[in-house]
Amino acid sequence: MGYVDSWTQRYRGMDLGPYSLLLARLLVRRRAVYLGAGLVAVVLVLRVAQFLLDSDALLWPVLLTVLVAFAAGIALLVQRHGDARVAARQREHVDRHEPVDFAAVVGRRTRILLAVSYVGAALLGFAGLLSGVDFAQSVVFLVGVAVLAALAFVSLRSALTRAPIAVDHGSLQADDLLRVNDARHAALAYPVLLAVVTMASPSSMWLLTVYTTVSVVISVFAMAHEPLTPKVPVAR
């Protein structure tokens, strides 16, 4: 219950609809976050194992790339499936009358984070290709970045276009807040994690350090200063 209480405290004074509906939707997201975080922990443990074994085999970056992409994808799939089950249990539905605005949902700082994460990752990968030292590793990394970009696009599109799960005005407001959080979670800097676990070689270390530092700073700034309440119109 504390998970829902933290939301009601954060948005104190706002009508968020029936408690049971909000609880069900937040539990879906918590389950998705836990699964994704668990896979990220596995990735980091394997990276430490690779370091301890001092292995440069191509199998390691391939395996870690697959796991990072899987961590990003599993959260989306679990959330979609969970939301579908919650929606199927609702006898009443309230639709929105205005279209969802991309800029209002995603937020300016989050868009900057997306640009820095993916454009920076692409530049880092191409730098590795041009150096010729880590050619195969750089190819694997760029393929992983492309897969993550596709997953981020699908996640953002889902957050922006999915039908609302709401039974009254309050739950429609809660749906908008969840839509905003879903979109911003799609901007998580998975490419930075992928870079850290696959590109950490002497030839790319300084580029990796700069890229990681800039991305982390922007990510922290976006999470800390992006407005919590979306400027998304809801039907009244």
Side-chain angles (χ1 to χ4, degrees):
M1 296 301 178
Y3 196 66
V4 178
D5 290 339
S6 66
W7 260 69
T8 55
Q9 289 296 318
R10 178 187 297 181
Y11 302 110
R12 184 179 299 176
M14 290 186 64
D15 178 12
L16 298 178
Y19 186 89
S20 59
L21 177 56
L22 180 61
L23 173 63
R25 302 202 64 193
L26 288 175
L27 289 179
V28 166
R29 279 147 184 81
R30 185 174 68 175
R31 191 177 303 118
V33 168
Y34 282 177
L35 285 172
L39 286 170
V40 167
V42 171
V43 170
L44 295 176
V45 168
L46 289 176
R47 182 67 180 94
V48 172
Q50 180 191 6
F51 175 77
L52 294 175
L53 294 172
D54 194 23
S55 174
D56 294 327
L58 187 62
L59 175 64
W60 285 102
V62 171
L63 175 61
L64 295 174
T65 298
V66 170
L67 285 174
V68 172
F70 190 62
I74 193 67
L76 173 63
L77 290 176
V78 169
Q79 184 176 305
R80 275 191 168 186
H81 179 67
D83 273 348
R85 293 181 62 182
V86 172
R89 294 199 297 264
Q90 307 308 312
R91 296 183 178 180
E92 299 178 0
H93 294 277
V94 174
D95 293 325
R96 63 167 41 258
H97 299 292
E98 301 88 354
V100 176
D101 179 47
F102 172 83
V105 170
V106 180
R108 177 171 57 86
R109 297 174 182 86
T110 306
R111 296 198 299 273
I112 293 173
L113 175 60
L114 276 168
V116 170
S117 294
Y118 286 93
V119 174
L123 293 175
L124 183 63
F126 282 118
L129 288 179
L130 294 175
S131 70
V133 179
D134 307 311
F135 185 84
Q137 198 168 325
S138 299
V139 170
V140 172
F141 172 70
L142 285 172
V143 170
V145 171
V147 172
L148 289 172
L151 287 170
F153 173 79
V154 172
S155 298
L156 287 170
R157 188 175 185 279
S158 175
L160 292 166
T161 61
R162 65 169 173 75
I165 302 175
V167 296
D168 57 13
H169 172 67
S171 54
L172 191 58
Q173 289 193 123
D175 184 84
D176 280 332
L177 292 171
L178 289 169
R179 192 185 303 273
V180 169
N181 278 264
D182 294 346
R184 293 175 185 175
H185 284 163
L188 287 175
Y190 279 113
V192 178
L193 173 64
L194 185 59
V196 169
V197 299
T198 64
M199 297 289 288
S201 61
S203 62
S204 62
M205 187 59 70
W206 72 272
L207 284 173
L208 175 63
T209 302
V210 172
Y211 168 64
T212 303
T213 302
V214 171
S215 298
V216 169
V217 169
I218 294 176
S219 179
V220 171
F221 186 76
M223 295 301 174
H225 297 283
E226 197 75 271
L228 291 176
T229 303
K231 297 177 181 178
V232 183
V234 295
R236 294 187 180 275

